[in-house]
Amino acid sequence: MPSCDVLVAGAGLAGLTTALAAADGGASVWLVAKGHAATHWSHGGLDLAAPPGTVGGGEGVALLARRPGHPYEIVAEDLPAGLARVRRALDAAGLAYEGDLASPHGRIPTAVGATRPAGVLPGAQAAARAPWRPGEGLLVVGFERFRDFAAPAVAASLARPLPWAGAPRPERVTAVGVTLPGLAERRNLDGLDLARAFDDPSWRGPALDAIARAVEPHRGDGELRVAFPAVLGLADHPAVAAALDARLGGPWFEIPLVPPSVPGLRLYEAMVAALRAARVAVQVGFAVSAAIRTPDGRVAGLATAAAGRPFPIRAGQVVLATGGFASGGLVATADGRVEEPILGLPVEAPPQPAWLAPSMFDPAGHPLEAAGIRTDRKLRPVGPTGERAERGVRIAGALLAGARALRERSGDGIAIASGERAARLALARTVGALAVPSGPVAAGPAAGPEGRGAR
Amino acid sequence: MTPRVLDVLVVGGGATGAALLRDLSMRGARCLLVDKGDFGTGTSGRNHGLLHSGARYVVKDEISALQCARENAVLSRVAAPAIEPTGGLFVATPDDPPDYADGFAAACARAGVACREIEPAEALRREPALRPDLRRAFAVSDGAIDPWALIELNLRSAVHYGGEALAYHRLVGLQLANGRIVGAELADVRSGSTFRVAPRMVVNAAGPWAGRVAALAGAEVTLTLGKGALIVLDRRPVDSVVARCHPPSDGDALVPVHTVAILGTSSVTVHDPDRYAISPAEIAHLMALGDQLVPSFSASRVLRAYAGVRPLYLPRLDELQPRERAGLAADPAAAEALAAGRIDSRRLTRAHRVLDHGPRDGIANLVSIVGGKLTTCRLMAEETADTVAAKLGLGTPCRTADEPMGGADGGRPYWLGHRLAEREVAGGGDADLVCECELVSAGDIERFLDERWPCSLDDLRRGTRLGMGPCQGAFCTFRAAARVGERAGGRAATATGERGLLVAAGGPSPVEIGRVADGPEPPEPGDGPIGPALVDAALVGFLEERFRGVRPVAWGRQLQEAWFEAGVYLGVLGVDALVVDGQRPCLPEDGRAEL
Ligand SMILES: Cc1cc2nc3c(=O)[nH]c(=O)nc-3n(C[C@H](O)[C@H](O)[C@H](O)COP(=O)(O)OP(=O)(O)OC[C@H]3O[C@@H](n4cnc5c(N)ncnc54)[C@H](O)[C@@H]3O)c2cc1C
Ligand SMILES: Cc1cc2nc3c(=O)[nH]c(=O)nc-3n(C[C@H](O)[C@H](O)[C@H](O)COP(=O)(O)OP(=O)(O)OC[C@H]3O[C@@H](n4cnc5c(N)ncnc54)[C@H](O)[C@@H]3O)c2cc1C
């Protein structure tokens, strides 16, 4: 049975951060996950906290940290260190993230012609947040035959004041469609198909030429910022970005789309690359079903399965970062229970009739969003009266109770901060083990699905 | 402006109104049909989709049984593209009263409803998902019917014969003089403007709203509104309609419809056809019911829940048929009520009635058609049209049972694989899918928009099944909104028009229409063309509408889906920035969510 110092369940931002921080601290680390996470669906930016009425991420975090029972109450102090760690990994992959806790949330355009507040952004999205100067225009570029981005509709919407909610906005917004080489006959293209096409240098050249030709006539007297659907390369994105910089000679940015999220995949791949460099075993496709326990009942590892075969992993410290309802870290049942399916941990949740507000867009969010595992300050699960519910395990990310991540735009920050904290606490308990030069755990099982995450 | 002169104004674009428009147009009358919403947004869009064989009613309501049996055959012939001839099974489980099955078989024979007892083992071979301990099984000719397709067929045929149909037009007033309706006032709910027509006859085919429409002429029509809730499963555990062989309490059946299956129904009396909710108890009841038919039913994924109201007519004492009187007298409780001048509605036939308000209320040119079923809509239309034609002095007989609808291909029934087959042969833009769950192509969307523009995404859904599959719109909403946006881009329109369309997108109730239409101008100085606001409304309204249906069944996989959808539309796309207070399409209670 393989064993390690720190075993992380979940390949979302929380699990990835935990694993990286633990490995950076010298522990031997395994990361196992049932499948891909919110990274693959989300926008690739890092939402730290933008509750209504706040101007910047730091202010948002401070506000939420004062709310009793909010995860930031416990983990906010770990956010700067976690964010710096994640930023290092992303920078190493050439994604050039910008922004920090001090940056104001600008409002950046979305693919339905709305805007959203954004704190930390990948380089390719950062230009969206720069203040709009007098006379500056926005050109939205669409690609023919690509059904997931309708440039004219996006431009028409962004030309109005409404979506900008009072924030500074471009003076004029226009759209242009570009026919990319060789795609006229393709059907049902998604963002990933296009991103892979851009990765190919021989296709990229003519494609970028076509783009530059289409943009050129839209340059008038004033300055112009150009927006693209977020499909500009996956593995080779930095090269695509550099080539586009050279072709356009002016500011441009990407707008994230519906899943599969190309910016989210880049983020995921960058984190996995950092984990591999730190010799972490990353196993996606390994669903965790139960705990391995010491005779006295303490959690001492997890039982996973791949290809139908049981695959137990022993660990000194276990961190559960299996996400909320969207990822299956929490499961709601027809008869009104909310369960944590791996360990059966006690879940804090509102009673069923109050799970969801009548409107999807209720500004207060849905009560069920705050459901999750309640922990002590060391992120160890506790029951309703504060008693320890399980020993040997810590909780990180969206599985924690108390946040309404979507409305607060706090999900990524909580994931990073709690991952950092969980790793720090786990490392503190792993001192003995670290004395043994266990190093990175050799490898996964011979036919392990290592790297399956690359799609 | 002088009001337009018409032969007949038909109020209500449900299955009944649509069939009536066709019937009267074929007889040569100049007719206009109006519906306050899209066609098929009333009870016709919120039912079980079961083309009854009559078997459901043989024991308690022979009139209905006979009508259903006859119309089942007629519709299968004339409305084939809207019908999947699945066949049906009545099964007796150990939970059902054993003697009911014998009575059932005898009653079918008596009523002439085709019914053949088969071995439980044969039933299980046909439908292996059914519980293995079936006691008895009967094969009947139940089928599945797509109400929107049926309405569409009728309207197309009616238009071919010169009929006219207007969606989003509400009858708001009737002017009477000397016992006749001399004018009808119609409001375009999208623009708020009103106009008048001068019909020789008015037919009230307003389903559960029939009482309100009659009241506009000062007539009293009393309806008992029986709400039924239904749940939609993500797949078809059965390919035939499966019904319980027990007294028809709630009409318990599982109906395969397109890619999904629908289980229903509960039955609760409500008072307002616009406001009713689905209770957790109803959902629990339906899940338990499912388990009694298909083991582990409650473990499977429920996509959404919706409800409709049955417009059951409560006749006046002098309108009781002799047979009904006898039925009431036979039941002690009902007899006692009758003696006291009240009618126990549970003992009445579910069959329809044509009310001639001339003799009834002294309004010579108003006729109401009330009660009935989707299955019998053509017959209802025929009888109503007979009454109307007599008053108009039209001698032409009814031909709706003879002429198939649906053009050259009209004889071909619906089959589940049709979309896939179309996608496989189609080239060009047709192969681009907008809704993957239901295989709705870009071409389908564009064709619909060509005919119906301007319309909402919800209208598009009824026309194409967009967003009706497992993801409930998570992906296609975004794509379809973009297509609506492209169309909207080129159109300039007035501010009032814009507000009207906002309303249309959410499928609102009358109260809300009044509120939004009378509200202040939207505070949007730079918002020139109609386009963007329309797209906002389309997106927000459609997401809300789908959410409303998911909410009563938000657990397990479907909650997971809802969470994913919220993450995409709020987190990534920031749709909440487009929701403006007061402009958001207001939503009625949960229950009104459609299929
Ligand atoms: C579509 C979408 C968009 C979002 N957008 C935003 C946004 O814009 N802003 C924001 O603040 N928040 C957003 N969120 C909230 C999001 O939950 C957080 O931002 C954050 O990414 C959560 O990270 P996590 O690592 O805790 O969980 P997740 O990213 O959900 O990762 C959970 C991981 O656990 C794994 N797992 C689950 N069960 C098991 C098991 N039994 N065994 C092994 N592995 C398992 C999963 O496969 C997955 O790898 C969004 C969520 C969704 C679903
Ligand atoms: C839960 C349930 C399940 C059912 N299952 C089945 C089944 O499986 N098989 C079956 O055969 N039957 C079934 N029925 C019965 C069937 O659905 C109805 O009998 C039938 O749909 C009624 O159609 P309609 O056209 O008469 O009424 P509706 O479809 O309600 O049409 C009335 C229309 O009038 C419009 N309207 C109202 N007021 C105005 C106004 N002032 N101006 C303009 N328009 C107006 C409304 O918008 C509406 O569209 C079911 C009913 C329910 C409630």
Side-chain angles (χ1 to χ4, degrees):
Chain A
M1 186 188 310
S3 78
C4 57
D5 298 327
V6 180
L7 173 58
V8 182
L13 206 45
L16 295 167
T17 307
T18 310
L20 188 57
D24 284 349
S28 67
V29 182
W30 273 61
L31 183 147
V32 294
K34 181 172 66 176
H36 291 138
T39 48
H40 287 54
W41 313 323
S42 195
H43 44 60
L46 301 177
D47 284 345
L48 303 180
T54 58
V55 178
E59 189 195 345
V61 173
L63 179 86
L64 296 176
R66 286 195 298 273
R67 286 195 189 153
H70 194 281
Y72 269 140
E73 196 188 10
I74 296 173
V75 304
E77 60 181 285
D78 297 273
L79 184 55
L83 186 58
R85 187 183 310 285
V86 169
R87 289 279 301 269
R88 276 197 297 280
L90 302 176
D91 286 345
L95 297 179
Y97 272 64
E98 288 182 21
D100 52 32
L101 280 161
S103 324
H105 335 292
R107 288 204 77 93
I108 68 170
T110 75
V112 290
T115 66
R116 63 182 169 91
V120 180
L121 289 168
Q125 291 178 38
R129 198 184 37 195
W132 292 90
R133 281 186 289 270
E136 192 176 13
L138 170 64
L139 175 65
V140 184
V141 176
F143 299 136
E144 300 299 335
R145 297 230 60 87
F146 178 45
R147 64 194 165 151
D148 284 351
F149 190 72
V154 173
S157 177
L158 290 172
R160 306 173 297 162
L162 181 140
W164 299 89
R169 59 193 184 102
E171 246 179 51
R172 69 212 126 76
V173 187
T174 45
V176 64
V178 178
T179 305
L180 293 172
L183 298 179
E185 297 306 312
R186 289 284 300 273
R187 299 287 175 258
N188 298 319
L189 281 173
D190 70 17
L192 219 47
D193 297 325
L194 284 173
R196 293 209 178 96
F198 274 104
D199 277 348
D200 172 0
S202 65
W203 184 85
R204 177 154 83 216
L208 293 179
D209 289 342
I211 290 170
R213 272 198 307 278
V215 170
E216 203 42 49
H218 292 263
R219 291 197 189 285
D221 306 331
E223 291 172 83
L224 186 70
R225 233 180 275 184
V226 187
F228 296 94
V231 299
L232 302 175
L234 187 57
D236 221 8
H237 167 67
V240 182
L244 192 61
D245 273 339
R247 292 284 207 302
L248 291 183
W252 58 270
F253 62 90
E254 284 188 323
I255 299 180
L257 309 177
V258 290
S261 164
V262 172
L265 265 115
R266 292 179 198 138
L267 179 149
Y268 172 80
E269 296 296 345
M271 290 297 289
V272 168
L275 291 178
R276 296 242 163 83
R279 314 209 63 188
V280 174
V282 181
Q283 308 285 7
V284 177
F286 279 47
V288 175
S289 52
I292 299 170
R293 293 174 191 276
T294 59
D296 64 344
R298 184 180 187 280
V299 173
L302 295 174
T304 79
R309 265 179 301 158
F311 187 81
I313 305 167
R314 196 180 287 288
Q317 294 282 315
V318 170
V319 178
L320 220 54
T322 46
F325 294 103
S327 290
L330 294 174
V331 175
T333 65
D335 55 0
R337 283 169 296 126
V338 179
E339 295 171 346
E340 185 286 305
I342 297 177
L343 297 172
L345 294 171
V347 177
E348 187 180 287
Q352 186 176 25
W355 279 359
L356 302 181
S359 164
M360 175 171 173
F361 300 103
D362 194 306
H366 304 289
L368 192 60
E369 287 175 48
I373 311 295
R374 176 74 39 216
T375 69
D376 63 13
R377 292 196 57 82
K378 293 187 165 176
L379 298 179
R380 298 174 301 196
V382 297
T385 54
E387 76 285 4
R388 287 274 294 282
E390 189 74 84
R391 289 176 305 139
V393 71
R394 285 174 223 280
I395 310 298
L399 184 56
L400 289 166
R404 295 192 184 188
L406 278 179
R407 325 285 151 162
E408 301 162 359
R409 295 205 165 263
S410 61
D412 303 315
I414 292 168
I416 291 171
S418 58
E420 179 75 17
R421 185 179 189 87
R424 182 160 65 76
L425 295 165
L427 284 169
R429 296 296 300 269
T430 315
V431 185
L434 287 183
V436 187
S438 58
V441 177
E450 169 114 1
R452 207 179 258 179
R455 281 192 69 156
Chain B
M1 208 169 74
T2 42
R4 235 176 87 196
V5 179
L6 294 167
D7 288 331
V8 187
L9 173 68
V10 180
V11 184
T16 310
L20 182 60
L21 183 72
R22 173 179 192 240
D23 193 325
L24 288 168
S25 300
M26 288 173 92
R27 296 188 202 217
R30 280 166 307 157
C31 308
L32 170 67
L33 175 149
V34 291
D35 198 293
K36 63 184 170 64
D38 189 15
F39 309 118
T41 44
T43 309
S44 298
R46 306 166 199 284
N47 57 56
H48 211 156
L50 169 48
L51 179 69
H52 285 289
S53 61
R56 167 53 74 211
Y57 301 104
V58 281
V59 174
K60 256 179 87 177
D61 183 352
E62 211 170 297
I63 305 176
S64 289
L66 281 167
Q67 290 176 345
C68 285
R70 181 171 154 224
E71 286 302 305
N72 179 302
V74 174
L75 282 190
S76 299
R77 199 169 61 237
V78 301
I83 290 167
E84 184 180 355
T86 59
L89 289 175
F90 270 75
V91 295
T93 73
D95 297 322
D96 299 318
D99 52 336
Y100 183 83
D102 291 324
F104 170 79
C108 283
R110 215 171 34 241
V113 168
C115 168
R116 183 171 58 89
E117 176 152 21
I118 59 176
E119 285 300 316
E122 191 189 332
L124 285 165
R125 263 196 303 280
R126 207 168 122 182
E127 295 298 349
L130 292 179
R131 66 191 277 179
D133 58 353
L134 296 181
R135 294 270 159 83
R136 303 178 67 173
F138 302 87
V140 298
S141 49
D142 286 338
I145 181 159
D146 179 323
W148 298 293
L150 178 69
I151 291 172
E152 184 79 14
L153 285 171
N154 274 293
L155 290 180
R156 273 181 200 284
S157 167
V159 167
H160 172 79
Y161 285 102
E164 209 183 320
L166 288 174
Y168 297 109
H169 281 72
R170 166 196 293 275
L171 175 74
V172 291
L174 292 172
Q175 286 77 46
L176 283 91
N178 305 322
R180 291 189 64 84
I181 294 169
V182 292
E185 190 170 347
L186 301 174
D188 177 343
V189 299
R190 293 189 286 204
S191 71
S193 63
T194 59
F195 62 95
R196 280 178 71 170
V197 291
R200 293 171 64 200
M201 288 287 309
V202 175
V203 180
N204 170 14
W209 295 270
R212 294 189 185 173
V213 168
L216 292 177
E220 197 181 332
V221 169
T222 310
L223 299 174
T224 302
L225 302 180
K227 180 197 66 173
L230 304 107
I231 53 180
V232 184
L233 220 60
D234 69 334
R235 64 205 159 85
R236 296 167 47 132
V238 292
D239 279 323
S240 336
V241 173
V242 178
R244 293 274 295 280
C245 207
H246 68 181
S249 51
D250 294 338
D252 308 342
L254 183 57
V255 181
V257 178
H258 293 280
T259 54
V260 300
I262 299 177
L263 181 81
T265 71
S266 62
S267 188
V268 181
T269 300
V270 296
H271 301 289
D272 183 340
D274 290 311
R275 277 170 201 283
Y276 43 85
I278 299 172
S279 71
E282 280 174 276
I283 300 290
H285 162 78
L286 289 173
M287 298 302 281
L289 185 79
D291 280 335
Q292 288 171 355
L293 280 174
V294 173
S296 82
F297 178 94
S298 59
S300 53
R301 178 165 168 187
V302 180
L303 298 183
R304 65 191 283 112
Y306 66 99
V309 286
R310 293 186 179 84
L312 204 64
Y313 177 62
L314 198 64
R316 301 194 307 208
L317 285 173
D318 60 331
E319 290 173 327
L320 283 179
Q321 296 160 10
R323 215 181 170 141
E324 282 177 315
R325 228 170 233 290
L328 290 173
D331 178 279
E336 194 179 313
L338 190 62
R342 283 179 292 107
I343 295 174
D344 184 341
S345 63
R346 288 168 308 170
R347 305 291 309 178
L348 292 179
T349 171
R350 295 272 177 118
H352 56 271
R353 277 172 207 255
V354 179
L355 307 178
D356 183 344
H357 294 279
R360 187 181 184 270
D361 303 295
I363 306 163
N365 56 347
L366 177 65
V367 171
S368 291
I369 168 73
V370 289
K373 282 172 211 62
L374 192 61
T375 306
T376 56
C377 67
R378 192 213 61 83
L379 179 66
M380 293 161 72
E382 174 176 342
E383 291 177 10
T384 311
D386 285 347
T387 304
V388 171
K391 289 182 176 252
L392 290 174
L394 285 174
T396 30
C398 175
R399 290 192 292 122
T400 54
D402 309 321
E403 190 179 302
M405 297 179 283
D409 204 26
R412 181 157 193 206
Y414 171 91
W415 62 292
L416 187 55
H418 81 110
R419 277 263 164 89
L420 192 57
E422 284 164 20
R423 293 302 83 92
E424 280 176 345
V425 297
D430 251 7
D432 257 331
L433 292 181
V434 172
C435 168
E436 275 127 345
C437 299
E438 293 290 334
L439 298 178
V440 182
S441 73
D444 295 333
I445 304 262
E446 295 302 334
R447 273 190 296 278
F448 187 89
L449 292 178
D450 282 345
E451 286 191 359
R452 293 290 191 82
W453 184 256
C455 64
S456 73
L457 288 190
D458 209 39
D459 299 346
L460 191 55
R461 170 181 72 80
R462 281 182 286 272
T464 64
R465 288 191 63 79
L466 175 91
M468 286 166 92
C471 91
Q472 289 288 300
F475 286 86
C476 62
T477 304
F478 169 76
R479 295 180 188 139
R483 301 218 159 240
V484 171
E486 277 174 14
R487 248 175 227 249
R491 273 178 77 101
T494 61
T496 44
E498 180 171 17
R499 276 183 299 146
L501 284 160
L502 263 175
V503 175
S509 71
V511 192
E512 280 108 21
I513 287 174
R515 193 158 86 223
V516 180
D518 300 340
E521 283 300 301
E524 191 71 336
D527 199 354
I530 184 175
L534 174 67
V535 184
D536 295 354
L539 251 177
V540 172
F542 195 61
L543 289 170
E544 284 279 45
E545 195 279 331
R546 300 278 83 192
F547 179 80
R548 201 176 357 147
V550 171
R551 188 167 169 258
V553 294
W555 66 76
R557 292 273 177 201
Q558 207 53 11
L559 179 77
Q560 190 171 20
E561 186 78 54
W563 240 241
F564 170 79
E565 186 163 339
V568 172
Y569 283 90
L570 297 172
V572 181
L573 300 176
V575 171
D576 43 341
L578 303 175
V579 179
V580 182
D581 277 350
Q583 274 195 35
R584 170 194 332 185
C586 317
L587 295 163
E589 298 286 295
D590 293 338
R592 281 203 43 216
E594 273 176 38
L595 197 66

